[in-house]
Amino acid sequence: QFVINAVNKAIEEEQFVVYLQPKINLITGKPYGAEALVRWMHPKRGMIAPAEFIPVYERNGIIGRLDQYMWRKVCALLRKWIDEGKEPDPISVNVSRVNIYNPHLVEILNKIIIEYRIPPQLLNLEITESAFMEDQSLVMRTVKRLHDLGFKIMMDDFGSGYTSFSDLCDYPIDVIKIDRNIVVRSTSHRGNAVLIGIIRMAHDLGISVL
C-alpha cells in the first residue's frame, strides 16, 4: 500500500533515478550504449529495489506512468550529452504491456523526442517477448509505426517460451535480447548449441543479438 500511495509524490519529486547498465560490444570489448534501469531513491527509506515496486505497479497499471517518466529522463540525459558536444550511443528503455496497448503510444513517444530534439535511433525500445504474443495484430501495427519513425525495436527475454523464429519474420525487430536462462544453460554442450543456433539464425534474419 505504501508503494502505491507514494508514487505520485515520488514522480513529482523525481525520486526515481535512472541507472545505466552498459552494453558491451564483444568485438571491440568496449561499451556501446546502455539500458536504462529505474531505482527508487526514497528520502527516508533510501534505495528501494525494483523488485519491491515494479510488480506492484504492473498489477495496478501504474507502470505506464513510470515508463513515460523514464523515457523523459533518458531523453533529457541524451540531450544534455549532445549539448555538451558528445556523441552518445543509444540507450534502451522499457515499454511495458500497459503502454504497448496504449492507443496513443506512438504519439507520446514522438512528442517526447521532438520536445527534447533527440534522434529516434538514440532511444531504443525494449518490449518483452510475451507482450508480442497477446494481441499480435495490434502490437504489429504499433511496432511498425514506431519502426517507421526511426525507433530501434528490441525484443526482450527472447527464448522464454513464446516466440518462434517464424514470428520474427513478421515483426520489424532490430535486436533480440536472449533470455538469461538460455545464456546460463549455454555452459552445457546442448545449451551451447542452442545459443549458437539462435545467434546464427538471428544474424541470417538481419537481427542483432544482445
Side-chain angles (χ1 to χ4, degrees):
Q1 195 60 49
F2 158 77
V3 165
I4 295 173
N5 292 343
V7 66
N8 289 332
K9 188 175 182 181
I11 288 177
E12 289 170 6
E13 295 183 355
E14 300 184 1
Q15 295 173 13
F16 294 108
V17 180
V18 175
Y19 271 54
L20 297 177
Q21 178 171 281
K23 301 171 186 176
I24 306 299
N25 183 318
L26 295 182
I27 296 174
T28 64
K30 296 180 180 179
Y32 178 76
E35 176 184 359
L37 305 175
V38 62
R39 297 292 182 267
W40 186 354
M41 301 299 293
H42 192 272
K44 294 182 179 179
R45 300 195 179 198
M47 182 184 284
I48 302 175
E52 296 183 45
F53 61 91
I54 293 292
V56 178
Y57 291 165
E58 287 176 336
R59 288 195 299 270
N60 288 274
I62 299 171
I63 193 67
R65 289 184 61 201
L66 185 57
D67 274 358
Q68 294 182 33
Y69 171 95
M70 289 291 288
W71 301 342
R72 287 185 169 278
K73 281 290 186 182
V74 169
C75 284
L77 183 60
L78 288 166
R79 182 71 256 160
K80 176 177 178 290
W81 287 339
I82 293 171
D83 289 343
E84 291 172 349
K86 298 172 182 174
E87 298 181 1
D89 290 323
I91 296 180
S92 63
V93 295
N94 288 295
V95 180
S96 65
R97 281 185 181 83
V98 171
N99 272 313
I100 200 66
Y101 296 117
N102 182 341
H104 305 294
L105 173 64
V106 177
E107 288 75 17
I108 290 169
L109 280 164
N110 194 40
K111 181 180 178 181
I112 291 173
I113 63 168
I114 290 173
E115 178 183 341
Y116 288 94
R117 294 173 290 124
I118 301 297
Q121 61 268 24
L122 286 184
L123 190 70
N124 295 174
L125 307 177
E126 293 195 21
I127 305 169
T128 60
E129 183 189 50
S130 58
F132 279 92
M133 298 297 102
E134 291 177 5
D135 187 337
Q136 293 190 358
S137 60
L138 185 151
V139 175
M140 172 71 84
R141 291 194 301 270
T142 301
V143 168
K144 187 176 186 307
R145 288 180 64 197
L146 289 167
H147 200 260
D148 289 344
L149 285 173
F151 290 100
K152 296 289 185 183
I153 307 298
M154 306 175 68
M155 179 182 283
D156 198 4
D157 300 329
F158 181 83
S160 56
Y162 297 91
T163 312
S164 67
F165 272 91
S166 61
D167 294 314
L168 291 182
C169 296
D170 299 325
Y171 286 105
I173 294 170
D174 301 287
V175 182
I176 59 171
K177 291 181 66 180
I178 297 180
D179 186 71
R180 182 177 181 276
N181 288 330
I182 293 178
V183 178
V184 170
R185 292 174 182 173
S186 67
T187 53
S188 69
H189 175 71
R190 286 189 174 185
N192 189 53
V194 168
L195 180 60
I196 290 172
I198 290 174
I199 293 171
R200 284 178 176 167
M201 284 188 285
H203 287 172
D204 286 344
L205 291 169
I207 297 172
S208 298
V209 177
L210 186 64

